[in-house]
Amino acid sequence: MIRLAIFDCDGTLVDSQHNICAAMEEAFALNALVAPPRNAIRRIVGLSLVEAMRMLLPEAEDALHRQIAQDYKDAFFRLRSTGAMAEEPLYDGIAELLAALSTQGWLLGVATGKSDRGLAHILAHHGIADRFITLQTADRHPSKPHPSMIETAMRDAGAAIDATAMIGDTSFDMAMARAAGARAIGVAWGYHPPEELLAAGADIVVDQVDALAAALERA
């Protein structure tokens, strides 16, 4: 049986909150707006950019949402290309977990609100791109929690829904898994607290990377 484990990226595989917040603050400043508190910014991580701006500025018009989203992309790329960004480290144990799951016969994928370019950079930087057989990003899908990313990943892998799990740190990830009919495994080291993950449909929430392999077998 083909088994597929799909990972979110920001807040699940890598700790990217500093860079996300810095780029968001620059994007708001470019539009003469006061940036939201960093706690509010962290809460929208995982959504596509336009949807994130709708949550941060619910009373603004669509044109402004799209402008800030583009400014965020440009700011993120500029900060990275000039060396002004901090390293976005893998969480401790993630590289070893991916290697172990591959050895155990799991196929691995990513479903993220990042762009294709952003995801490719992260995976290449950490030397883990070859671990994944399917990469789904906001460039080609509706925002989470729409199930499109999971559905496409399953088609790529040839995996059935009852052999597919989504691993993520936000309620958006858990709701996406539920919408697709996949198992939902939450991680407690990211951007939404465990109680929100459970309320959004998580089958289980783990607080350590080395507990994920066992959770995948149980879920």
Side-chain angles (χ1 to χ4, degrees):
M1 178 178 64
I2 295 172
R3 300 186 298 172
L4 174 63
I6 307 169
F7 289 82
D8 171 55
C9 185
D10 295 314
T12 301
L13 295 176
V14 300
D15 184 359
S16 52
Q17 61 177 306
H18 174 80
N19 292 340
I20 290 170
C21 290
M24 192 69 74
E25 288 163 355
E26 182 168 324
F28 270 71
L30 286 170
N31 290 276
L33 294 169
V34 176
R38 288 199 163 193
N39 183 57
I41 296 172
R42 286 190 290 269
R43 290 196 55 76
I44 54 80
V45 174
L47 294 174
S48 65
L49 283 175
V50 175
E51 186 62 29
M53 301 313 167
R54 290 184 182 125
M55 288 191 67
L56 292 173
L57 291 172
E59 297 180 0
E61 295 183 356
D62 184 64
L64 181 57
H65 294 148
R66 294 182 182 279
Q67 181 61 54
I68 301 175
Q70 184 59 53
D71 289 339
Y72 171 89
K73 287 183 180 180
D74 294 343
F76 201 99
F77 181 74
R78 181 168 56 254
L79 290 169
R80 183 198 297 155
S81 62
T82 59
M85 278 194 160
E87 179 187 358
E88 295 179 312
L90 290 175
Y91 288 104
D92 290 344
I94 287 292
E96 293 81 2
L97 171 72
L98 298 177
L101 291 176
S102 295
T103 299
Q104 294 164 17
W106 285 88
L107 298 183
L108 306 179
V110 177
T112 176
K114 280 186 176 298
S115 65
D116 287 332
R117 181 174 66 181
L119 178 60
H121 175 85
I122 284 291
L123 299 183
H125 175 74
H126 291 294
I128 58 173
D130 62 350
R131 294 291 184 195
F132 301 100
I133 63 115
T134 180
L135 303 175
Q136 308 304 324
T137 75
D139 285 346
R140 290 169 282 111
H141 294 280
S143 179
K144 298 175 183 179
H146 192 284
S148 175
M149 291 188 192
I150 292 177
E151 292 167 348
T152 304
M154 288 192 302
R155 287 196 296 272
D156 286 352
I161 193 64
D162 60 357
T164 298
M166 176 69 207
I167 301 104
D169 68 298
T170 71
S171 57
F172 315 128
D173 297 312
M174 302 300 98
M176 179 173 65
R178 284 300 178 206
R183 292 175 290 166
I185 300 176
V187 301
W189 52 82
Y191 303 142
H192 288 185
E195 58 268 24
E196 290 190 19
L197 302 180
L198 291 167
D203 293 297
I204 187 172
V205 177
V206 299
D207 59 8
Q208 296 181 5
V209 171
D210 59 11
L212 263 176
L216 279 164
E217 296 295 339
R218 294 196 308 267

